[in-house]
């Protein structure tokens, strides 16, 4: 047990409590909202969110747990929103990720980024944030450059970074790209847990060695398949869940599907079982009061696709500080803080 940290379940319960007073909360529009992981972090930081999501189960989860609505709908570049948001957030799906798929860039109708960029263009929020897989900076750097330039032409400063979830209190080695379009004064959240991250054991706690009547155990044939999988992939360490370190990245596939890469726990008697929905949710930093809707498979997909709420709150607190700093400077008629220099994309190509 890491004694530098408060108990994990107490930590996420405290950090993700929703404020009682909802008056004068700034509005955040949450596009491609999923089950509300991104929104939960922002609401815990004192914002009001409205979600937009096409999957019905995810919308139902969002509505059940957050103090706002989630509109079940397919977004288009022409979608209009009822109120002007101060912040826009989202995880746009990106179809042109493969070489074969990257044909029309921002003109690809299957892609969510034109929708996100058009919403920023129409409503001019003070800050816009999108999240995506880290590979976007490497396999699709040309397309990422296209997106960043589009945001820059709307008079935003654009910054990005790959954030590791363990650095912010999530017991999982998840890495994701976050890109921020802002008007000055942005600072990335501090890596408060970099040297002493929470572990999978701290997250699962009493659940780790339980085996309910509905537990899904690996069969002998599945054990043999996993053995061959690990040998073929040259795993130095078995890919069971090791409770003394943070977990591997939780994905839809390794949480819900019986694959060689599935997340599983080895019990003291040698049997191995797959993780439950609640265990996957804890590894993603959802508190136990957060209830998922839909089938087990749907719930696993919602969890795997979510932004970890604790990481989302770390970003939301920086958004809040940035907005307050600019509001204070404006109300006191002081000059705005010195603006960051926009990086040229020649530099960006060297960085990538």
């Amino acid at each position: 047990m890491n004694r530098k940290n408060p108990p994990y379940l107490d930590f996420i319960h405290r950090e993700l409590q929703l404020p009682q007073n909802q008056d004068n909360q700034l509005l955040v529009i949450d596009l491609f909202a999923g089950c509300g992981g991104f929104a939960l972090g922002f609401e815990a930081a004192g914002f009001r969110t409205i979600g937009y999501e096409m999957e019905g189960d995810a919308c139902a989860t969002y509505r059940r747990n957050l103090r706002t609505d989630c509109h079940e709908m397919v977004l288009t570049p022409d979608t209009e929103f009822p109120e002007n948001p101060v912040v826009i957030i989202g995880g746009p799906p990106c179809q042109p990720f493969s070489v074969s798929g990257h044909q029309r860039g921002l003109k690809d109708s299957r892609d969510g980024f034109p929708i996100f960029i058009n919403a920023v263009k129409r409503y001019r929020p003070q800050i816009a944030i999108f999240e995506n897989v880290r590979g976007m900076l490497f396999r699709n750097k040309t397309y990422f450059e296209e997106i960043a330039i589009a945001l820059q032409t709307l008079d935003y400063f654009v910054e990005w970074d790959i954030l590791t979830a363990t650095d912010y209190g999530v017991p999982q080695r998840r890495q994701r790209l976050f890109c921020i379009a802002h008007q000055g004064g942005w600072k990335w959240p501090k890596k408060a847990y970099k040297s002493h991250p929470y572990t999978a054991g701290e997250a699962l706690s009493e659940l780790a060695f339980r085996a309910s009547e509905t537990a899904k155990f690996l069969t002998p044939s599945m054990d043999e398949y996993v053995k061959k999988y690990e040998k073929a992939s040259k795993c130095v360490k078995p890919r069971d869940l090791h409770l003394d370190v943070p977990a591997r990245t939780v994905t839809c596939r390794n949480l819900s599907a019986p694959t060689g890469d599935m997340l599983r726990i080895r019990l003291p008697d040698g049997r191995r079982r797959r993780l439950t929905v609640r265990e996957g949710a804890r590894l993603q930093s959802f508190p136990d009061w957060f209830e998922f809707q839909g089938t087990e498979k749907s719930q696993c997909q919602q969890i795997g696709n979510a932004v970890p709420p604790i990481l989302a709150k770390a970003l939301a607190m920086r958004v809040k500080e940035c907005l307050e700093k600019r509001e204070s400077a404006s109300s006191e008629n002081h000059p705005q803080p010195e603006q960051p220099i926009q990086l040229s994309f020649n530099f960006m190509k060297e960085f990538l």
Side-chain angles (χ1 to χ4, degrees), residues 106 117-118 120-122 124 144-159 180-183 342-343 345:
L106 289 172
I117 292 170
N118 276 21
V120 174
K121 181 178 180 179
R122 177 175 296 179
R124 300 288 175 157
F144 177 77
E145 177 179 322
E146 187 178 354
I147 294 165
I149 288 174
L151 290 170
Q152 283 191 341
T153 60
L154 299 177
D155 296 325
Y156 289 98
F157 297 96
V158 180
E159 299 185 48
I180 318 292
H182 63 92
Q183 298 171 331
Q342 278 185 288
L343 299 178
F345 281 97

Side-chain angles (χ1 to χ4, degrees), residues 174-338:
R174 188 185 194 91
Q175 290 189 316
R176 286 294 186 268
L177 166 67
F178 287 87
C179 182
I180 318 292
H182 63 92
Q183 298 171 331
W186 171 256
K187 291 184 179 179
W188 292 97
K190 294 181 179 179
K191 300 177 181 180
Y193 295 86
K194 185 177 180 64
S195 61
H196 47 100
Y198 281 106
T199 67
E202 289 176 283
L204 301 191
S205 186
E206 80 289 353
L207 301 181
F209 297 113
R210 286 184 181 176
S212 68
E213 294 180 357
T214 58
K216 296 180 179 179
F217 290 97
L218 275 67
T219 64
S221 61
M222 292 171 70
D223 273 328
E224 186 62 27
Y225 176 80
V226 166
K227 182 179 178 180
K228 292 179 179 179
Y229 173 88
E230 292 183 338
K231 182 178 180 180
S233 57
K234 299 180 180 179
C235 289
V236 176
K237 191 175 184 180
R239 293 174 73 79
D240 298 324
L241 197 68
H242 299 284
L243 300 180
D244 59 338
V245 294
R248 293 186 283 124
T249 300
V250 175
T251 68
C252 304
R253 184 170 180 269
N254 69 19
L255 185 58
S256 66
T259 66
D261 198 42
M262 78 182 84
L263 289 167
R264 69 263 179 170
I265 292 176
R266 184 183 291 275
L267 300 178
D269 61 10
R271 293 181 301 168
R272 292 193 292 189
R273 67 167 179 81
R274 291 163 55 184
L275 294 192
T276 64
V277 165
R278 180 50 55 194
E279 288 168 335
R282 282 192 184 182
L283 293 177
Q284 276 279 59
S285 76
F286 283 98
D288 283 358
W289 58 259
F290 198 96
E291 299 179 15
F292 296 88
Q293 306 298 297
T295 64
E296 182 181 21
K297 182 178 180 180
S298 174
Q299 292 179 41
C300 289
Q301 289 175 335
Q302 293 171 49
I303 292 167
N305 284 330
V307 175
I310 284 291
L311 173 54
K313 185 180 179 183
L315 287 163
M317 293 303 294
R318 284 304 199 190
V319 169
K320 191 174 184 179
E321 291 173 13
C322 185
L323 295 176
E324 289 174 348
K325 185 186 302 180
R326 293 185 63 82
E327 176 66 23
S328 175
S330 176
S331 63
E332 294 177 10
N333 204 26
H334 289 168
Q336 294 292 335
E338 183 178 349

Side-chain angles (χ1 to χ4, degrees), residues 44-56:
F47 291 91
R48 177 171 66 94
T49 69
I50 298 177
Y52 292 83
E53 167 59 43
M54 65 182 291
E55 296 294 337

Side-chain angles (χ1 to χ4, degrees), residues 1-265:
M1 183 67 68
N2 194 327
R3 295 184 180 179
K4 292 184 179 180
N5 297 335
Y8 176 72
L9 297 181
D10 292 346
F11 165 66
I12 60 174
H13 179 77
R14 182 188 69 240
E15 289 295 316
L16 296 173
Q17 282 187 338
L18 301 182
Q20 295 299 316
N21 185 359
Q22 295 180 278
D23 296 336
N24 302 317
Q25 290 183 325
L26 299 177
L27 177 63
V28 176
I29 292 294
D30 186 8
L31 306 181
F32 312 100
C35 67
F38 218 162
L40 177 56
F42 270 81
E43 290 211 356
F47 291 91
R48 177 171 66 94
T49 69
I50 298 177
Y52 292 83
E53 167 59 43
M54 65 182 291
E55 296 294 337
D57 287 345
C59 281
T61 297
Y62 195 115
R63 296 188 197 108
R64 184 173 183 84
N65 294 282
L66 300 174
R67 297 174 176 173
T68 185
D69 196 11
C70 183
H71 300 278
E72 183 180 344
M73 62 186 298
V74 176
L75 294 170
T76 74
D78 298 321
T79 298
E80 295 186 3
F81 307 108
E83 300 179 67
N84 287 326
V86 176
V87 180
I88 293 179
I89 61 176
C94 184
Q95 289 300 126
F97 257 24
S98 66
V99 174
S100 60
H102 184 33
Q103 299 172 356
R104 304 186 65 205
L106 289 172
K107 297 180 181 179
D108 192 320
S109 62
R110 303 165 299 165
D111 183 24
F113 279 99
I115 297 167
F116 186 87
I117 292 170
N118 276 21
V120 174
K121 181 178 180 179
R122 177 175 296 179
Y123 294 97
R124 300 288 175 157
Q126 293 189 46
I127 294 178
I129 305 176
F130 73 77
E131 175 261 359
N132 218 293
V133 296
R134 67 187 301 273
M136 191 176 191
L137 274 185
F138 306 102
R139 295 191 302 272
N140 297 85
K141 60 183 180 181
T142 301
Y143 185 52
F144 177 77
E145 177 179 322
E146 187 178 354
I147 294 165
I149 288 174
L151 290 170
Q152 283 191 341
T153 60
L154 299 177
D155 296 325
Y156 289 98
F157 297 96
V158 180
E159 299 185 48
W160 60 92
D161 202 355
I162 295 172
L163 303 186
T164 302
T166 51
D167 293 344
Y168 305 95
V170 182
Q172 177 196 162
R173 296 191 298 271
R174 188 185 194 91
Q175 290 189 316
R176 286 294 186 268
L177 166 67
F178 287 87
C179 182
I180 318 292
H182 63 92
Q183 298 171 331
W186 171 256
K187 291 184 179 179
W188 292 97
K190 294 181 179 179
K191 300 177 181 180
Y193 295 86
K194 185 177 180 64
S195 61
H196 47 100
Y198 281 106
T199 67
E202 289 176 283
L204 301 191
S205 186
E206 80 289 353
L207 301 181
F209 297 113
R210 286 184 181 176
S212 68
E213 294 180 357
T214 58
K216 296 180 179 179
F217 290 97
L218 275 67
T219 64
S221 61
M222 292 171 70
D223 273 328
E224 186 62 27
Y225 176 80
V226 166
K227 182 179 178 180
K228 292 179 179 179
Y229 173 88
E230 292 183 338
K231 182 178 180 180
S233 57
K234 299 180 180 179
C235 289
V236 176
K237 191 175 184 180
R239 293 174 73 79
D240 298 324
L241 197 68
H242 299 284
L243 300 180
D244 59 338
V245 294
R248 293 186 283 124
T249 300
V250 175
T251 68
C252 304
R253 184 170 180 269
N254 69 19
L255 185 58
S256 66
T259 66
D261 198 42
M262 78 182 84
L263 289 167
R264 69 263 179 170
I265 292 176

